[in-house]
Amino acid sequence: MAKRVFIGREALEELCRCYPTPFHLYDEREIRSRARALNAAFSWNSGFKEYFAVKATPTPAIVRLLAEEGCGCDCATGVELMLAAACGVTGENIMLSSNDTPDDDYRLAARMGALINLDSADMVECLSRALGGALPETVCLRLNPGGSFEVPDNPAGRPAESKFGMTEEQIFESCRRLRAAGVEHFGLHSFLLSNAQGNGYYPALARLLFSRAVRMRDELGVAISFVDLSGGVGVAYREEDAEADIAVIGAGVRTAYEDILVPAGMGDVAIFAELGRWMCGPAGALVTRVIHKKETYRTFLGVDACAADLMRPALYDAYHHITVMGKEDAPRTHAYNVVGGLCENNDQFARDRILPETGVGDLLFIHDTGAHGHAMGYNYNGKLRSAELLVGEDGSVRLIRRAEKPGDYFATLDIDEDFTAALTRGNRQWK
Ligand code: LLP
């Protein structure tokens, strides 16, 4: 399907006069409509809750907007817990779904009354130690079923090679120990495919988890309060990719629920999700301008963004569609490598990408950066992280994160008095 540009060229040029490129731009309407579609798709389950994966877009304006749509927060670290709480998300609306977790994060999560998802069997002791033996009433356990996990339209997942989760035996053993220590309710979680294509992933994962949940209830006599399907539902990065249909996914999970949990008398189990990419990915774009054009053995378009603004192409060779603003309908006739300025040859947003004829000054809209985009940014080469802007439902645009300034880059060096004094002198001298 043709990729959607959610702002016109003139409006974007106007915006660039206030906010220099590069910046990430998000579409409030799209984010809200995704949250509503997800909640509608799972409305058959009265306990359904999406815990938005904060790591995907840790920006308060986005987290608050999703909270208004009924979403909680899935956090990976103490800092993300602080961010969620400061956005007004509290108690069991927060899930700490982490691995290799430091005791401090457990303590903070427990003080906040957040749900805690344990990634490994030894974490039972860690949690107990961190909390001085006062375990929460409810604990979630993360399953790694091992082997391979096959879903049509996707390369086979290889859980056995993943660092996440615990074996079924470890889940049972952890459950016994936790129950002996006073835990009354349990959740079961797993994450087996990332950016899953098609509609089959969640239903297949649900079947796997529901059958384990019934076994846990039958063999251990424990109460399973929720099954957390975590993240992983994919988006259509390429024009030829099919969009996941969340209504079909919700119906597929419902069939699994009615096949497995309801007959087992477990029709009160809540379904949780921790989607990040599906919620926000297509609702964001990286806006950047071509500042150089160079011909060698390829034709390079040098843009003012770089991998520090969007790491996915450099890190995973990921495809992000590119629209040249104002040339949406022009024939695509030229092959370009679209590159950033990092001293790393993998800092290329696209290689041999066929675009309309493009030159210096053209504005590029790099699609689907709303999740795992700005969030993964870094400061290599002294590159400063870009601003984030939100197009509101009424079309107005507001700044939701300012661009970094050199002072942000140097902020942690305030311990070095000689350096900060020299920096101040230099800044005066070069002004
Ligand atoms: N829950 C947990 C425990 C996770 O680890 C993740 C993502 C999510 C939820 C959200 O997954 P999503 O629905 O966004 O796929 N940086 C990579 C993705 C890494 C995902 C890590 N965990 C990328 O850009 O593709």
Side-chain angles (χ1 to χ4, degrees):
M1 222 175 46
K3 301 295 287 183
R4 196 175 70 87
V5 178
F6 52 80
I7 188 165
R9 177 169 174 235
E10 275 165 31
L12 198 54
E13 285 290 4
E14 181 77 42
L15 205 56
C16 293
R17 281 191 270 282
C18 298
Y19 304 105
T21 51
F23 53 78
H24 285 265
L25 186 67
Y26 302 91
D27 181 7
E28 174 173 351
R29 194 184 295 267
E30 179 70 23
I31 296 172
R32 284 192 191 276
S33 100
R34 284 177 169 264
R36 286 174 196 169
L38 176 69
N39 284 328
F42 284 88
S43 58
W44 53 268
N45 183 261
S46 61
F48 176 77
K49 190 164 187 79
E50 153 73 357
Y51 289 81
F52 173 61
V54 168
K55 66 179 72 84
T57 326
T59 309
I62 306 273
V63 172
R64 281 194 217 107
L65 186 162
L66 285 166
E68 281 170 22
E69 297 295 337
C71 302
C73 288
D74 155 41
C75 301
T77 58
V79 171
E80 287 187 356
L81 288 171
M82 293 173 204
L83 190 148
C87 290
V89 180
T90 55
E92 293 202 345
N93 293 316
I94 301 179
M95 170 82 67
L96 177 67
S97 220
S98 52
N99 73 98
D100 198 15
T101 311
D103 286 3
D104 280 349
D105 290 2
Y106 283 139
R107 274 191 282 271
L108 183 56
R111 276 204 299 279
M112 288 179 172
L115 291 168
I116 294 175
N117 184 23
L118 296 185
D119 176 75
S120 83
D122 75 306
M123 294 289 172
V124 173
E125 264 60 58
C126 298
L127 182 67
S128 182
R129 183 186 62 224
L131 304 185
L135 289 172
E137 256 178 46
T138 306
V139 171
C140 184
L141 300 169
R142 180 168 185 168
L143 172 70
N144 180 332
S148 79
F149 180 72
E150 313 228 354
V151 177
D153 305 323
N154 291 280
R158 303 245 168 268
E161 283 156 38
S162 154
K163 69 169 180 167
F164 300 110
M166 42 187 137
T167 66
E168 199 165 334
E169 293 67 33
Q170 290 167 341
I171 293 263
F172 273 65
E173 186 46 36
S174 301
C175 205
R176 277 192 203 95
R177 294 197 337 253
L178 287 163
R179 199 184 39 175
V183 174
E184 287 172 25
H185 304 282
F186 291 87
L188 190 59
H189 169 284
S190 198
F191 185 160
L192 302 182
L193 281 188
S194 191
N195 191 32
Q197 299 296 299
N199 301 320
Y201 169 56
Y202 255 18
L205 177 67
R207 276 185 189 277
L208 187 150
L209 288 176
F210 292 164
S211 60
R212 300 316 190 278
V214 173
R215 277 193 51 203
M216 284 166 76
R217 196 274 319 260
D218 289 349
E219 292 179 25
L220 303 172
V222 295
I224 306 292
S225 305
F226 62 87
V227 167
D228 185 344
L229 300 174
S230 190
V233 174
V235 301
Y237 284 109
R238 294 174 185 270
E239 283 185 306
E240 61 271 28
D241 289 343
E243 271 290 350
D245 185 334
I246 206 69
V248 172
I249 291 173
V253 174
R254 180 179 196 168
T255 305
Y257 193 95
E258 287 170 356
D259 285 351
I260 301 170
L261 288 181
V262 173
M266 293 171 69
D268 56 350
V269 171
I271 304 297
F272 293 169
E274 299 171 351
L275 295 173
R277 189 189 315 269
W278 187 86
M279 299 301 291
C280 287
L286 174 59
V287 178
T288 182
R289 200 178 290 280
V290 178
I291 55 174
H292 294 287
K293 188 168 186 175
K294 162 167 142 176
E295 310 261 359
T296 53
Y297 311 101
R298 294 272 188 290
T299 304
F300 295 96
L301 297 174
V303 297
D304 56 10
C306 68
D309 301 296
L310 175 66
M311 209 176 174
R312 302 190 71 259
L315 195 59
Y316 317 119
D317 204 17
Y319 179 94
H320 280 262
H321 196 75
I322 297 177
T323 296
V324 184
M325 295 301 292
K327 298 185 180 173
E328 289 81 351
D329 300 322
R332 298 183 203 174
T333 46
H334 289 62
Y336 295 112
N337 284 25
V338 179
V339 307
L342 286 189
C343 305
E344 281 260 33
N345 195 38
N346 67 358
D347 180 18
Q348 310 213 14
F349 291 112
R351 294 172 196 251
D352 291 327
R353 182 70 57 86
I354 308 297
L355 296 173
E357 187 167 15
T358 303
V360 170
D362 273 322
L363 209 46
L364 306 187
F365 189 92
I366 304 185
H367 292 255
D368 302 314
T369 70
H372 311 296
H374 187 283
M376 293 174 71
Y378 59 115
N379 286 121
Y380 190 48
N381 282 188
K383 289 286 187 185
L384 302 176
R385 295 175 69 193
S386 73
E388 295 182 292
L389 303 168
L390 180 68
V391 183
E393 286 190 295
D394 61 359
S396 64
V397 180
R398 73 188 165 98
L399 184 67
I400 55 173
R401 184 194 299 267
R402 68 162 171 81
E404 282 182 350
K405 301 173 186 171
D408 298 313
Y409 181 86
F410 295 123
T412 49
L413 296 166
D414 57 1
I415 49 161
D416 187 332
E417 286 169 18
D418 289 347
F419 173 76
T420 45
L423 188 67
T424 313
R425 273 199 308 279
N427 284 346
R428 255 189 246 121
Q429 184 182 336
W430 297 317
K431 254 201 184 130

